[in-house]
Amino acid sequence: MSEHKIMTKKRKYSKAVVDGVEQAPARAMLRAVGFKDEDFAKPQVGVASTWSMVTPCNMHIDQLAKASVMGADAAGGKGVVFNTITVSDGISNGTEGMKYSLVSREVIADSIETVVGCQGFDGVVAIGGCDKNMPGCLLALARLNRPGIFVYGGTIQPGKGHTDIISVFEAVGAHAKGDLDLIQVKQIEETAIPGPGSCGGMYTANTMASAIEALGMSLPNSSAQEAVSQSKLEDCQRAGAQVLELIELDLKPRDIMTRKAFENAITIVIALAGSTNAVLHLLAAAHTAGVELTLEDFELIGQRVPVLADLRPSGRYMMSELIEIGGIQPLMKTLLNRGLLHGECMTVTGKTLAENLEQTVEYPSGQRIIRSMSDPIKSDSHLVVLRGNLAPEGAVAKITGKEGLCFRGKARVFHSEELCLQAILEGSIVAGDVLVIRYEGPKGGPGMREMLSPTSAIVGKGLGNEVALITDGRFSGGSHGFVVGHITPEAQVGGPIALVWDGDYITIDAEAKTIELELSVSELEVRKAHWQAPGPRYTRGVLAKYAKTVSSASRGAVTDLFEV
């Protein structure tokens, strides 16, 4: 009886579901799924699994979820697995289906919140392995604010010849140029994805895994383990057990996801040359956690943080090679020692970031994956926030310096991703063009599709340094070249990008941080007066609901930005 009283104190939520004679019906149903008498006195840990056979990123997560349950059970809790959805960006890119990708982030967050809130779990382990289910898990943990940990499903191993999914996308463009025949494209297709795990460069999945670890919401090194490895199974077991410790400490996500913790996450994204999608997802997570975070914060942090990682897509190395030299922990220690991280931030270990890094060793000598602070790839951030008459509320570019720092050219306007891709593959795009893809924003798409197919085709066609692409949509973490996304306001709500005509001159200046349509104010006003908003592309279902509720990309494209 005394043990039951002790455990009741820890069971802040589950006791309302299973304690007392009036809850006999609930206990009866739980017995059918494996609960024993003693389990009702244990803190319950919900394990949110994003397992699915729709994508290699998540095909192994059922086994990781079982490992987390084992960890929770061994630590004195009762682990319970439940599932949520996932979709695949890599499969749907370039199709109408990609409109569901960013939408799925909200669906995942909603579903995890719904199950945990209904079932009364006392703690949560959320396991994600692909671009949108990872921030979806993070949003849910922040909303629920119950002791919880995020676990990354892990990165994929490289394909034959140091290839990955981006190699396949770029092979399509190389074939259109005539550099690869169909047999060569098929050979790359057949070997680039050797098994389970998330895309192998510093694309969105590995970027977000690293950001979430720096945020303090994953155990140390969770971001730097291969999907199929003993270390990843152990990471999941430790997470299941650690949630019980968090329940004991009453340490919750919003205690960890502070303003300074988000600054740490942004710092790591910059140092790793991470995906522009991190801007969107960190803004959304901060909103959900009740932390004030804006595009200006990315600008300010970017002024003092260098790019140090030579990782794909703009660099040479893959995540598996970074894992071999120690992952991101040595990088974090370097940044901490230089005063670029807030060491006092609490983490899911129950210790501060600085305490977690005390025993971290340096990278092996001679490695070139992570540069020294005295030899950066770029002295400031590759994530450049641009403003001007074409993006008065901001736009986000990924400029490593390899693309150049300024681009001026004539606009080629497209009202969808597909029309632009067709023009690229047909050969009608020439050096000096600025491709404008509009009506692909959060509301206009709806869903803010990634432009991976067009950007990869541009690179494959050999135009990566000769053509710019701007959009109110967004980019895959695998996109590179002179590309600008997240242009706000978007075309659907009458933003200036809706007013561009073929042949207009556009100047993008990464040093001045401007993006300008070379037209007078009066000409823009005349065009605006004659502009009419297109009707919604969807009038029923999840895409229609999303279009009505989603906020601007400059505010994270969240669906719960309500005035109170």
Side-chain angles (χ1 to χ4, degrees):
M1 179 63 73
S2 61
E3 176 66 15
H4 178 72
K5 288 181 180 178
I6 293 171
M7 298 303 281
T8 299
K9 292 179 182 178
K10 299 177 184 177
R11 296 186 299 114
K12 184 176 180 180
Y13 301 98
S14 63
K15 63 183 179 181
V17 177
V18 299
D19 283 10
V21 65
E22 67 276 11
Q23 293 306 116
R27 292 194 297 274
M29 296 189 74
L30 289 170
R31 290 179 192 277
V33 296
F35 274 62
K36 308 298 183 186
D37 278 346
E38 59 270 21
D39 293 329
F40 297 117
K42 299 175 182 177
Q44 292 184 31
V45 176
V47 178
S49 169
T50 56
W51 172 80
S52 173
M53 288 302 290
V54 304
T55 171
C57 307
N58 294 65
M59 63 187 288
H60 62 302
I61 287 180
D62 56 337
Q63 299 305 310
L64 302 186
K66 290 176 182 176
S68 287
V69 168
M70 289 174 56
D73 290 355
K78 176 61 177 175
V80 180
V81 176
F82 65 95
N83 275 84
T84 183
I85 67 160
T86 190
V87 300
S88 173
D89 293 2
I91 295 171
S92 63
N93 243 300
T95 75
E96 191 77 358
M98 186 62 190
K99 293 181 177 180
Y100 289 90
S101 172
L102 188 57
V103 176
S104 77
R105 185 189 74 180
E106 309 305 306
V107 175
I108 291 161
D110 290 349
S111 65
I112 294 174
E113 177 191 357
T114 299
V115 174
V116 173
C118 178
Q119 296 297 121
F121 295 135
D122 301 293
V124 187
V125 175
I127 309 174
C130 197
D131 292 10
K132 304 311 171 296
N133 58 57
M134 297 169 67
C137 288
L138 188 65
L139 296 184
L141 291 172
R143 287 184 195 175
L144 289 158
N145 203 32
R146 302 183 188 190
I149 293 177
F150 174 79
V151 177
Y152 178 40
T155 193
I156 196 171
Q157 295 178 345
K160 183 179 179 181
H162 209 246
T163 54
D164 60 13
I165 185 60
I166 304 305
S167 306
V168 189
F169 276 98
E170 292 181 359
V172 175
H175 171 67
K177 185 183 177 185
D179 287 349
L180 293 178
D181 61 30
L182 288 175
I183 293 175
Q184 291 172 309
V185 173
K186 189 169 187 289
Q187 287 172 338
I188 296 172
E189 171 193 330
E190 290 176 337
T191 59
I193 310 295
S198 299
C199 299
M202 191 48 64
Y203 311 142
T204 302
N206 283 315
T207 297
M208 288 309 301
S210 302
I212 294 170
E213 182 176 327
L215 188 66
M217 286 301 297
S218 292
L219 293 175
N221 241 18
S222 184
S223 70
Q225 295 155 345
E226 289 188 340
V228 181
S229 64
Q230 185 61 34
S231 59
K232 180 49 65 182
L233 287 171
E234 292 170 358
D235 180 40
C236 293
Q237 291 175 347
R238 287 195 300 270
Q242 184 61 23
V243 169
L244 274 295
E245 179 68 18
L246 296 179
I247 292 172
E248 176 71 25
L249 295 171
D250 195 29
L251 183 60
K252 299 181 290 294
R254 290 185 209 166
D255 300 325
I256 295 168
M257 297 169 66
T258 63
R259 164 73 188 209
K260 288 184 176 180
F262 277 100
E263 292 181 358
N264 286 345
I266 294 169
T267 297
I268 285 297
V269 169
I270 294 170
L272 291 170
S275 167
T276 55
N277 280 318
V279 178
L280 198 69
H281 299 322
L282 290 174
L283 287 172
H287 161 74
T288 306
V291 172
E292 184 68 27
L293 195 72
T294 67
L295 288 174
E296 286 75 13
D297 295 307
F298 287 83
E299 291 181 90
L300 291 172
I301 294 170
Q303 292 171 9
R304 62 178 184 266
V305 178
V307 175
L308 300 176
D310 189 13
L311 294 165
R312 290 193 178 191
S314 58
R316 295 174 291 174
Y317 298 99
M318 290 190 176
M319 190 67 185
S320 58
E321 293 166 298
L322 178 59
I323 290 170
E324 289 177 2
I325 65 168
I328 71 168
Q329 290 282 297
L331 172 61
M332 291 174 67
K333 189 165 187 176
T334 296
L335 294 168
L336 177 67
N337 291 340
R338 290 299 186 100
L340 295 174
L341 289 178
H342 302 290
E344 70 273 24
C345 289
M346 184 55 62
T347 74
V348 292
T349 64
K351 300 177 181 179
T352 65
L353 182 72
E355 290 172 326
N356 289 343
L357 294 171
E358 282 178 358
Q359 303 303 315
T360 300
V361 298
E362 294 181 355
Y363 289 120
S365 61
Q367 65 80 28
R368 293 294 293 168
I369 301 172
I370 302 295
R371 300 278 192 90
S372 68
M373 294 289 290
S374 61
D375 182 32
I377 291 172
K378 192 171 185 284
S379 61
D380 56 2
S381 179
H382 66 300
L383 297 176
V384 181
V385 177
L386 306 173
R387 288 186 176 80
N389 68 352
L390 196 49
E393 292 179 11
V396 179
K398 183 163 69 172
I399 306 293
T400 65
K402 297 177 182 178
E403 313 84 356
L405 296 173
C406 188
F407 195 101
R408 180 178 184 267
K410 285 186 178 181
R412 289 288 306 278
V413 181
F414 302 92
H415 285 198
S416 74
E417 177 185 5
E418 288 90 345
L419 292 172
C420 182
L421 178 61
Q422 181 181 353
I424 296 167
L425 295 178
E426 288 176 350
S428 64
I429 302 303
V430 299
D433 283 345
V434 179
L435 311 186
V436 180
I437 305 179
R438 62 191 182 197
Y439 298 108
E440 290 284 9
K443 289 183 179 292
M448 205 179 181
R449 285 193 289 183
E450 292 178 347
M451 302 297 139
L452 180 57
S453 292
T455 59
S456 297
I458 288 168
V459 172
K461 293 274 282 186
L463 293 169
N465 294 321
E466 299 176 358
V467 168
L469 190 155
I470 69 172
T471 180
D472 53 6
R474 59 194 174 91
F475 295 106
S476 163
S479 292
H480 58 112
F482 214 108
V483 296
V484 181
H486 306 208
I487 288 180
T488 53
E490 63 174 286
Q492 187 70 25
V493 299
I497 191 173
L499 310 180
V500 182
W501 292 356
D502 279 339
D504 289 341
Y505 275 95
I506 294 172
T507 299
I508 306 161
D509 190 329
E511 289 189 305
K513 298 181 180 178
T514 58
I515 180 166
E516 295 285 342
L517 178 61
E518 297 182 15
L519 291 177
S520 66
V521 172
S522 59
E523 175 62 20
L524 283 171
E525 289 175 348
V526 169
R527 291 188 186 184
K528 183 63 181 288
H530 289 88
W531 175 82
Q532 289 186 331
R537 286 170 166 162
Y538 291 84
T539 58
R540 294 288 186 274
V542 66
L543 293 180
K545 288 189 288 186
Y546 183 83
K548 284 186 175 294
T549 58
V550 69
S551 73
S552 165
S554 63
R555 305 187 73 177
V558 294
T559 54
D560 60 352
L561 192 65
F562 307 127
E563 299 296 333
V564 293

